[in-house]
Amino acid sequence: MPNSFGGLERAVLDVLWAAASEDSWLTVREVHRALVGREVAYTTVMTVLDRLARKEQILQQRAGRAYTYRARASRSEMIADLLHGTLDEFGTHDRQSALVAFVEDASADDVEALREALARLERP
């Protein structure tokens, strides 16, 4: 799957998304501290943040001698990008059947959310 994330990458993204509501840029140390309940080395968190920045999944900026990080997009925007990327990777000829298969396997709540989203898009 394109742009799939490992467990630690998802946990780091969760920390950045939680801080995004405050429009905060976090240091490696702040992300490391926020990973409560995980036995992970500081340098591992630094590596994960660097890797996510190189994959352009998060933003990185210089702050003195260190870097700070924040989410590039909201959780829902990133999920939408992943879905679009997956559909694009397999070409347009299977796009409709893939969407139909997705909806057929979707929960009632997901189908209702899709209906509401489509209705909002159709309103002038």
Side-chain angles (χ1 to χ4, degrees):
M1 183 204 279
N3 295 319
S4 61
F5 300 105
L8 184 55
E9 287 177 324
R10 284 193 308 270
V12 166
L13 285 167
D14 285 341
V15 169
L16 295 176
W17 284 321
S21 62
E22 303 159 14
D23 198 28
S24 295
W25 290 80
L26 301 180
T27 64
V28 175
R29 186 163 314 285
E30 290 168 326
V31 174
H32 183 253
R33 272 193 222 124
L35 293 171
V36 177
R38 286 189 167 258
E39 298 282 330
V40 60
Y42 175 90
T43 54
T44 302
V45 174
M46 186 184 329
T47 300
V48 168
L49 286 163
D50 185 59
R51 184 175 34 222
L52 287 170
R54 281 187 281 122
K55 291 182 349 184
E56 297 182 356
Q57 298 302 316
I58 64 173
L59 301 173
Q60 177 186 58
Q61 75 176 4
R62 180 80 79 175
R65 291 178 42 195
Y67 287 100
T68 56
Y69 302 87
R70 68 175 289 178
R72 174 186 57 82
S74 70
R75 181 189 311 266
S76 59
E77 290 168 334
M78 189 171 285
I79 292 169
D81 285 348
L82 289 169
L83 292 171
H84 285 292
T86 300
L87 288 171
D88 290 345
E89 182 177 322
F90 292 101
T92 56
H93 66 282
D94 290 331
R95 190 178 208 100
Q96 183 176 359
S97 59
L99 289 169
V100 169
F102 173 79
V103 172
E104 286 175 344
D105 290 338
S107 70
D109 288 343
D110 288 344
V111 170
E112 183 58 30
L114 287 169
R115 282 192 178 112
E116 289 174 10
L118 290 169
R120 279 194 310 270
L121 291 173
E122 290 175 352
R123 290 185 202 129

